[in-house]
Amino acid sequence: MEFNKEIEIIIKDYRSLAIELGSDHLSSYHFILALLKTDNYPNVIFTNKKWEFIALQKSMVEIEKKYCENYFLTKEFEKALKNSKYYAWIYNQNEIKSEHIIFALLSDKKSYACKYLNSVGMNYLDFKTEYEKTAEFEPNIFLEIIVNNTFLKRIKTPNLVYKVLK
């Protein structure tokens, strides 16, 4: 499964933002801030629910600016990118979009991004409800249950189920 064109634009902005902020890595926080610059379902939902990211923007500004030629993804964000395909499957879509990455971030309760998103009032169920109203998509409940089970995800059950259903 491939990422859609919007994700390519966000990732380009995401890297530029990390450079601008003097970061030596690419994190889920950078992704969220880059996502706010584009027109997409997550941004519409954030606006409708009045979820603001001013504190995140301020916290990302570093005093000492660094320049690093080689950036690395944090393990947290790499995991979210890998798991985002499951959320595309849940909504029967053939490409990964920004909303699928937000779902993956919100489903990882231990991640810093999830904790931050929860602190501004966003949780998985609220985002899911708003997404389904805004985008008018119905989830495959069976796949959603499998994908949101940590143990089943760890043993790659969603991949097997998806191949069988396909």
Side-chain angles (χ1 to χ4, degrees), residues 108-124:
D108 184 1
K109 302 282 186 243
K110 294 179 183 176
S111 76
Y112 293 114
C114 180
K115 289 174 185 173
Y116 179 80
L117 293 170
N118 289 167
S119 78
V120 297
M122 184 189 319
N123 64 42
Y124 181 89

Side-chain angles (χ1 to χ4, degrees), residues 13-37:
D13 288 345
Y14 161 78
R15 185 174 185 282
S16 298
L17 181 65
I19 291 168
E20 181 183 314
L21 293 172
S23 299
D24 61 354
H25 62 280
L26 301 170
S27 73
S28 49
Y29 292 148
H30 294 109
F31 176 79
I32 291 168
L33 292 175
L35 179 79
L36 296 173
K37 295 180 179 182

Side-chain angles (χ1 to χ4, degrees), residues 68-99:
C68 185
E69 197 167 301
N70 297 315
Y71 285 79
F72 64 91
L73 289 175
T74 60
K75 287 190 182 281
E76 170 189 308
F77 193 60
E78 187 175 352
K79 179 180 173 183
L81 289 175
K82 286 179 184 175
N83 289 338
S84 61
K85 70 180 176 192
Y86 300 138
Y87 296 95
W89 294 348
I90 287 171
Y91 289 98
N92 196 28
Q93 295 179 2
N94 296 323
E95 59 186 7
I96 298 167
K97 299 178 181 176
S98 56
E99 54 265 34

Side-chain angles (χ1 to χ4, degrees), residues 89 92 140 142-143 146 158-166:
W89 294 348
N92 196 28
N140 179 321
F142 175 68
L143 279 176
I146 291 170
N159 292 340
L160 177 65
V161 170
Y162 182 74
K163 286 177 185 174
V164 169
L165 293 176
K166 200 171 180 187

Side-chain angles (χ1 to χ4, degrees), residues 43-159:
N43 205 355
V44 169
I45 293 167
F46 298 162
T47 303
N48 289 346
K49 295 293 280 187
K50 295 181 178 50
W51 289 325
E52 295 193 9
F53 299 92
I54 295 166
L56 178 62
Q57 291 169 326
K58 287 180 181 176
S59 71
M60 294 296 294
V61 176
E62 296 179 0
I63 295 170
E64 180 184 345
K65 295 281 184 178
K66 305 174 244 179
Y67 178 74
C68 185
E69 197 167 301
N70 297 315
Y71 285 79
F72 64 91
L73 289 175
T74 60
K75 287 190 182 281
E76 170 189 308
F77 193 60
E78 187 175 352
K79 179 180 173 183
L81 289 175
K82 286 179 184 175
N83 289 338
S84 61
K85 70 180 176 192
Y86 300 138
Y87 296 95
W89 294 348
I90 287 171
Y91 289 98
N92 196 28
Q93 295 179 2
N94 296 323
E95 59 186 7
I96 298 167
K97 299 178 181 176
S98 56
E99 54 265 34
H100 305 132
I101 296 171
I102 296 295
F103 277 121
L105 290 171
L106 286 167
S107 72
D108 184 1
K109 302 282 186 243
K110 294 179 183 176
S111 76
Y112 293 114
C114 180
K115 289 174 185 173
Y116 179 80
L117 293 170
N118 289 167
S119 78
V120 297
M122 184 189 319
N123 64 42
Y124 181 89
L125 188 58
D126 284 343
F127 185 79
K128 175 185 181 314
T129 302
E130 289 299 314
Y131 175 68
E132 289 170 9
K133 281 195 287 185
T134 305
E136 299 179 355
F137 282 115
E138 289 292 322
N140 179 321
I141 302 299
F142 175 68
L143 279 176
E144 186 173 28
I145 290 168
I146 291 170
V147 166
N148 286 324
N149 182 299
T150 306
F151 174 73
L152 293 176
K153 198 183 309 180
R154 196 173 321 127
I155 62 171
K156 305 221 184 289
T157 303
N159 292 340

